[in-house]
Amino acid sequence: MESEFFNSYSLSFAKIVKAKDAILFSQYGTSKELNEIGKGFPILRLNEFNSSFISTPAKYCDLLDIDTYLSLRLKKDDVLICRTNGNPKLVGKSAIVPKDYEYAFASYLFRVRPNCNIINSATLVAFLNSKYGRLEIEKFSMVGNQANFSPAKFREISIPVLGTAVNEQIHELTYSSFEKLEKSEKIYSSAEAYLLECLGMTDFAANPEAYNIKTLKESFLETGRFDSEYYLPKYEDYFQLVQSYSNGYKLLGNICEIKDNNYTPENDIRYKYIELANIGKAGEITGFDEQCGENLPTRARRIVHSGDVIISSIEGSLNSCALITDEYEGALCSTGFYVLKSSFLNSETLLTLFKSQPIQNLMKKGCSGTILTAIGKPELEKIPIPLIRQEVQEEIAAHVQKSFELRKEAMQMLEEAKLTVESAINGGGKPLNYSKLQNKSDRELNYAVWLLLRELDMISKKDQHVIYTHKKLSNSFAISGRLDAEYYQPKYDYLFKELQRFETRKIGQIATIRKSIEPGSDAYIEDGIPFIRVSDLSKSGLSETSICLDKVAFKDAPRPQKDTILLSKDGSVGIAYKVEEPLEVITSGAILHLNVIDKMVLPDYLTLVINSIVVKLQAERDAGGSIIQHWKQSEIEEVIIPILPMIVQQEISNRIQQSFKMRKESLILLAKAKQIVELSIEGGM
């Protein structure tokens, strides 16, 4: 009954057969639960479709019996087709299996093996991915909440019989494309291996010991660590800790006003909009998006006022808390925040409490959900909050305010100085003062946290289940402000010790970093300028997207230029791809645009280092989150990059360029195969 079935198009090629007559065999994949820990058999998914080929699976199934696995194992010339997906443009997408693999495949794919007397596998894939194949697929697909193209529907589509010569030509083009793709990947891997060899890290392995032994004086008093791997009791212990505070405690719902009513912005008024990505590690707001009310995303529905404290409700970002200062009076924030105000605690103490380890863990305990885990209002209201003595509150407030003042002064100086790579390397002047002010600001805030922990009598507490590393205050908590064990694991110390053998610079010194936009799903359209999200980004390039934005409405959104490095900061963090030529696309706010300004660093080299273990470990250390990872721009700017001699960088760049040249040639061959199918069909009509 659906209208798509009765479109005016019909394949009128000279020789046509139904797919059921051209297919010898079809089969569904496994529907068993998958895991990411490498246990069981590797299971191929749509995610691993690489152009018209397949790549290495990222998930496994340990519930599959050996007989089922053997029946699903992929063989050369198998054709895999996507059966169902929320995106109709991905339904019917197909890939050829170019050689035997020890992989099975997932249930939302099905496998077919064609009758080569009618059509070979390469020609079938080229046809299905051509405009005529897409028309057939769309005609027979069932579209609802999920689009579906079942094997039964597949059997009904029309397939042209192109003849032996065309079949052989397309087969040759397809497998030549695969050979170039394999060479491309090998060359890229050789570039990665060469980089690690130059860094002396070929056999790098993280220290397997997750702890070091130190005294209280050498560890907690110096690092400020109070988390599960260091001194973390169970959640009940945190609750008892707050309950035992000498000045008493109350539940959050009894001492805080939770401002969770939605505010509807007026269309023609401009608002400052604050989202998760705008929250700095010190509780400051690092930026905002200013838009007219009608252009704001639908989640911009919390109005904030000076003195409010905003806290993230999302488990992976619970430490994203901030104090609303005068400059953000009347701004809007995302509905992912709770907005708090208390008559029992001043704003600075409230902020410090919510950034402290006890309250962070009690919030984490209250989180629930599946895909997106968050803390609901009822659970938030149950969190016990210590009634910090007034004199301590005043002292905490003084240090937090001083921290904010110093940070503001530092940012003003940064703006005035227009820091460049050269000034940062040479030191002195305003850049040096900026660094000192930032350090002073961090120390003031960390001292406020220290005052709170001391007030809660947490310094003298001992835990028989402690697993910890040892750091000094001067080179850990006082600088980083981090209270989580993962941040100080020995493997990171080992990495930075290795990097000390080289000249290094921070990404913020090497490149400018620009954030893109987050328009919200209401702005998505079918035709317009392509909108690229993290799922469309890989170190090999950008995949085709079905989501577009209005070109006029988003004319000011940044476009990637030649040599721009696109870097993911949310979700799958740390994926970097260097753009080879200007692209008329818009990337999401989760993808940063890096443009190299340091003449001693080649863009291809920087991209490779970002994709290597050197930066992967730093991203792993910095990025917060459980379900969704977040890597803040301020943290990315601090990432350490080893600077190898230019001759080595040039060799690495040459290999990468050769890799991408091979990949480009591979794609050209596939496009040519698809074009031959289309031209053959058009010639026979």
Side-chain angles (χ1 to χ4, degrees):
M1 296 295 293
E2 66 274 15
S3 60
E4 290 82 1
F5 187 82
F6 298 98
N7 62 49
S8 58
Y9 158 78
S10 63
L11 191 62
S12 56
F13 188 67
K15 292 184 178 180
I16 296 173
V17 298
K18 288 292 184 181
K20 62 184 177 183
D21 298 320
I23 301 304
L24 298 175
F25 170 83
S26 66
Q27 181 182 22
Y28 284 107
T30 178
S31 59
K32 300 287 187 180
E33 185 178 350
L34 306 182
N35 67 75
E36 295 181 354
I37 59 176
K39 186 178 180 182
F41 301 109
I43 305 295
L44 191 88
R45 302 166 300 151
L46 180 63
N47 307 56
E48 285 88 46
F49 276 28
N50 183 6
S51 296
S52 292
F53 306 108
I54 62 174
S55 55
T56 306
K59 292 199 174 184
Y60 291 74
C61 180
D62 54 348
L63 302 176
L64 208 61
D65 61 83
I66 186 65
D67 291 334
T68 304
Y69 163 68
L70 291 174
S71 71
L72 295 177
R73 190 167 55 182
L74 295 174
K75 300 292 185 183
K76 184 177 184 296
D77 286 334
D78 281 350
V79 174
L80 291 173
I81 302 172
C82 177
R83 176 177 64 85
T84 182
N85 196 277
N87 182 352
K89 291 187 177 181
L90 294 179
V91 170
K93 185 176 181 181
S94 65
I96 190 171
V97 179
K99 58 184 179 181
D100 292 350
Y101 286 104
E102 298 298 318
Y103 312 153
F105 56 99
S107 60
Y108 46 84
L109 304 176
F110 64 91
R111 166 171 59 185
V112 300
R113 289 173 179 161
N115 181 348
C116 291
N117 293 323
I118 297 175
I119 189 170
N120 63 29
S121 298
T123 306
L124 177 60
V125 170
F127 168 70
L128 292 175
N129 289 335
S130 74
K131 62 182 179 182
Y132 297 108
R134 289 304 309 170
L135 286 169
E136 284 291 302
I137 290 167
E138 290 166 9
K139 179 178 180 179
F140 285 91
S141 294
M142 304 292 289
V143 180
N145 290 334
Q146 288 270 331
N148 189 282
F149 181 60
S150 66
K153 293 294 181 183
F154 169 73
R155 292 187 182 96
E156 296 304 312
I157 70 171
S158 297
I159 292 179
V161 180
L162 301 179
T164 303
V166 174
N167 270 271
E168 290 177 353
Q169 185 180 9
I170 293 174
H171 178 87
E172 183 178 345
L173 285 169
T174 300
Y175 277 90
S176 294
S177 170
F178 176 68
E179 287 176 8
K180 289 184 181 294
L181 187 64
E182 275 199 317
K183 287 180 181 178
S184 165
E185 292 171 350
K186 287 178 181 177
I187 293 169
Y188 193 92
S189 296
S190 76
E192 291 181 314
Y194 182 59
L195 170 67
L196 295 180
E197 180 183 341
C198 293
L199 294 173
M201 298 175 64
T202 303
D203 299 320
F204 178 87
N207 188 332
E209 298 294 336
Y211 59 89
N212 288 327
I213 307 300
K214 295 288 183 179
T215 65
L216 177 63
K217 180 179 179 181
E218 294 171 326
S219 57
F220 181 71
L221 293 180
E222 294 297 317
T223 65
R225 292 292 305 273
F226 203 85
D227 55 320
S228 57
E229 287 77 11
Y230 271 80
Y231 305 95
L232 178 64
K234 298 296 183 181
Y235 293 129
E236 292 77 6
D237 294 335
Y238 280 121
F239 198 97
Q240 292 172 8
L241 175 69
V242 175
Q243 283 183 319
S244 63
Y245 177 54
S246 59
N247 202 48
Y249 77 97
K250 287 184 180 292
L251 299 183
L252 182 144
N254 296 328
I255 64 168
C256 289
E257 177 189 359
I258 303 177
K259 304 177 182 180
D260 60 345
N261 292 328
N262 280 349
Y263 172 83
T264 304
E266 298 183 36
N267 289 344
D268 55 351
I269 294 181
R270 294 184 70 83
Y271 296 88
K272 294 178 179 178
Y273 170 53
I274 304 164
E275 53 185 332
L276 276 175
N278 300 133
I279 307 302
K281 68 179 183 180
E284 81 280 19
I285 297 171
T286 59
F288 58 88
D289 182 24
E290 190 166 7
Q291 298 272 1
C292 287
E294 60 186 346
N295 296 326
L296 286 169
T298 54
R299 57 182 177 276
R301 292 295 183 269
R302 298 275 192 270
I303 191 165
V304 296
H305 300 286
S306 179
D308 287 344
V309 173
I310 58 175
I311 61 171
S312 169
S313 63
I314 309 301
E315 182 178 3
S317 306
L318 293 176
N319 63 342
S320 293
C321 316
L323 176 62
I324 302 299
T325 52
D326 292 342
E327 61 191 300
Y328 294 104
E329 170 67 32
L332 297 179
C333 71
S334 166
T335 51
F337 290 106
Y338 286 111
V339 183
L340 304 181
K341 189 85 171 184
S342 176
S343 58
F344 289 79
L345 300 167
N346 63 41
S347 300
E348 293 81 4
T349 302
L350 193 61
L351 171 69
T352 308
L353 274 168
F354 273 97
K355 291 190 74 66
S356 71
Q357 198 70 10
I359 306 304
Q360 281 281 301
N361 275 274
L362 290 172
M363 286 181 68
K364 186 174 182 179
K365 178 184 179 183
C367 288
S368 61
T370 54
I371 302 300
L372 190 63
T373 311
I375 182 169
K377 184 177 179 181
E379 288 295 332
L380 182 68
E381 291 175 327
K382 296 176 186 177
I383 292 178
I385 302 295
L387 300 175
I388 305 299
R389 290 180 295 129
Q390 189 61 39
E391 60 269 28
V392 176
Q393 286 194 50
E394 291 172 0
E395 192 174 0
I396 289 173
H399 285 286
V400 172
Q401 290 166 6
K402 184 64 174 176
S403 170
F404 275 52
E405 289 171 8
L406 289 166
R407 192 173 297 275
K408 185 175 182 180
E409 185 180 346
M411 296 309 297
Q412 288 172 345
M413 185 170 290
L414 180 63
E415 179 63 25
E416 293 170 7
K418 299 292 184 185
L419 285 178
T420 61
V421 172
E422 289 79 11
S423 64
I425 293 172
N426 294 331
K430 289 180 178 178
L432 184 60
N433 291 334
Y434 165 78
S435 179
K436 288 180 178 178
L437 285 170
Q438 286 282 34
N439 288 337
K440 286 182 179 178
S441 170
D442 290 341
R443 286 176 181 272
E444 289 290 341
L445 185 66
N446 292 336
Y447 190 69
V449 175
W450 177 256
L451 287 170
L452 177 67
L453 297 180
R454 187 182 66 181
E455 179 66 14
L456 293 175
D457 197 28
M458 291 171 65
I459 294 175
S460 60
K461 301 282 182 185
K462 292 186 178 181
D463 185 358
Q464 295 180 348
H465 306 288
V466 172
I467 301 177
Y468 52 87
T469 295
H470 312 286
K471 295 282 180 185
K472 292 183 178 180
L473 177 63
S474 60
N475 61 12
S476 59
F477 180 65
I479 295 174
S480 67
R482 292 290 291 262
L483 289 170
D484 51 308
E486 291 80 4
Y487 189 83
Y488 297 107
Q489 286 186 43
K491 62 182 177 182
Y492 305 129
D493 291 339
Y494 179 63
L495 170 67
F496 291 119
K497 182 180 178 182
E498 290 292 302
L499 292 179
Q500 286 177 0
R501 299 185 290 111
F502 305 93
E503 177 188 355
T504 60
R505 288 172 206 163
K506 297 177 181 178
I507 284 183
Q509 297 172 329
I510 296 172
T512 60
I513 302 178
R514 185 179 183 186
K515 183 184 173 185
S516 190
I517 64 167
E518 196 56 63
S521 57
D522 290 347
Y524 295 172
I525 57 177
E526 290 187 5
D527 295 312
I529 183 167
F531 181 58
I532 303 297
R533 298 173 295 174
V534 173
S535 58
D536 306 314
L537 174 68
S538 74
K539 66 181 182 181
S540 302
L542 305 178
S543 59
E544 185 178 350
T545 177
S546 61
I547 297 174
C548 297
L549 300 176
D550 184 80
K551 191 172 185 178
V552 176
F554 295 94
K555 59 182 174 54
D556 296 328
R559 270 66 159 172
Q561 301 302 309
K562 185 179 185 301
D563 289 337
T564 295
I565 299 171
L566 301 179
L567 174 62
S568 62
K569 69 177 186 66
D570 295 331
S572 301
V573 303
I575 301 172
Y577 167 67
K578 194 206 78 173
V579 175
E580 298 299 318
E581 57 189 17
L583 296 177
E584 187 59 15
V585 301
I586 297 175
T587 62
S588 80
I591 299 175
L592 298 176
H593 293 209
L594 279 62
N595 288 288
V596 175
I597 56 176
D598 188 342
K599 294 181 180 179
M600 298 307 295
V601 178
L602 297 179
D604 280 316
Y605 170 75
L606 177 59
T607 307
L608 184 71
V609 175
I610 292 174
N611 283 322
S612 75
I613 191 173
V614 173
V615 174
K616 285 185 185 299
L617 277 174
Q618 295 183 64
E620 176 188 297
R621 180 192 68 159
D622 293 337
S626 52
I627 303 300
I628 300 176
Q629 292 282 297
H630 299 282
W631 198 14
K632 296 179 182 177
Q633 181 173 329
S634 58
E635 295 169 333
I636 294 171
E637 290 171 349
E638 296 297 310
V639 166
I640 302 297
I641 301 295
I643 310 300
L644 294 178
M646 185 55 67
I647 188 172
V648 176
Q649 290 190 43
Q650 191 61 60
E651 171 63 22
I652 288 173
S653 294
N654 291 342
R655 296 191 189 192
I656 292 172
Q657 289 298 324
Q658 189 179 359
S659 168
F660 277 89
K661 181 182 178 182
M662 288 284 187
R663 180 175 292 275
K664 188 174 182 179
E665 290 176 1
S666 169
L667 294 175
I668 289 172
L669 289 173
L670 284 178
K672 188 174 181 180
K674 189 166 64 175
Q675 186 182 38
I676 289 173
V677 172
E678 292 174 354
L679 290 174
S680 298
I681 291 171
E682 290 165 2
M685 285 181 175

